[in-house]
Amino acid sequence: MYVVKSPLSDTDLRTVSEALQGALVDLVDLSLVAKQVHWNVVGPRFRSVHLQLDEVVDVARTHSDTVAERASALGVSPDGRASTVAAGSGISAVPAGWVKDSDAVGALVAALGAVITRMRERVGATGDADPVSQDIFIGITADLEKHHWMFQAENA
Ligand SMILES: [Fe+2]
């Protein structure tokens, strides 16, 4: 269904909408993984890791909304359904059950690393097609890399 007219050409729109949809899926899953670990973390560093994980949830939720609404603004329907997220996320599933604090930190280092790699690919793919969307990906990558640094420092 045609609803919102895009300012981009069809070719550029295809490139950018793929990148935005991929980012949406990764960020929704990141918010879910961080909450799962937030609820299940155990160990002497419980409190600091538990609170730190909610900071990642907030960042992931905020940015998932930004990329979804950027897609809408370009005339592309965003798809944040659970089945779509499960099928397309770049983050490996975390095991069920309690998570030792050092493993929780390791899980977030891995999850953030996976999303950052894919987000940097989106930065590279969208510069010519739509620098406005690229700017969004750059801002998201900076935020994720900050959290990636802090989790790596936690397990050093
Ligand atoms: Fe909580």
Side-chain angles (χ1 to χ4, degrees):
M1 183 175 55
Y2 176 88
V3 179
V4 181
K5 181 168 167 43
S6 175
L8 304 180
S9 72
D10 286 351
T11 310
D12 287 348
L13 185 60
R14 204 170 308 119
T15 301
V16 175
S17 61
E18 250 174 53
L20 288 166
Q21 176 60 36
L24 172 59
V25 161
D26 281 350
L27 290 164
V28 170
D29 199 26
L30 180 61
S31 74
L32 296 174
V33 164
K35 264 299 185 197
Q36 172 70 14
V37 181
H38 169 86
W39 297 321
N40 280 285
V41 65
V42 292
R45 292 148 69 200
F46 166 81
R47 181 135 183 97
S48 64
V49 175
H50 176 74
L51 297 176
Q52 194 179 357
L53 284 159
D54 254 356
E55 293 176 14
V56 175
V57 172
D58 286 346
V59 164
R61 284 182 179 164
T62 298
H63 287 316
S64 65
D65 194 55
T66 301
V67 296
E69 292 184 358
R70 179 65 190 156
S72 297
L74 292 175
V76 177
S77 162
D79 184 353
R81 296 174 296 171
S83 56
T84 305
V85 172
S89 170
I91 302 173
S92 303
V94 291
W98 306 116
V99 188
K100 183 88 180 122
D101 47 16
S102 55
D103 294 338
V105 172
L108 263 290
V109 169
L112 285 162
V115 177
I116 287 164
T117 297
R118 285 154 63 100
M119 210 60 77
R120 279 187 167 271
E121 288 168 5
R122 293 175 188 120
V123 170
T126 53
D128 289 337
D130 182 22
V132 180
S133 296
Q134 184 199 41
D135 184 59
I136 290 171
F137 293 130
I138 290 170
I140 293 171
T141 304
D143 275 353
L144 295 178
E145 289 182 348
K146 179 180 155 189
H147 285 280
H148 197 216
W149 149 54
M150 291 194 284
F151 278 104
Q152 289 175 92
E154 286 262 331
N155 264 4

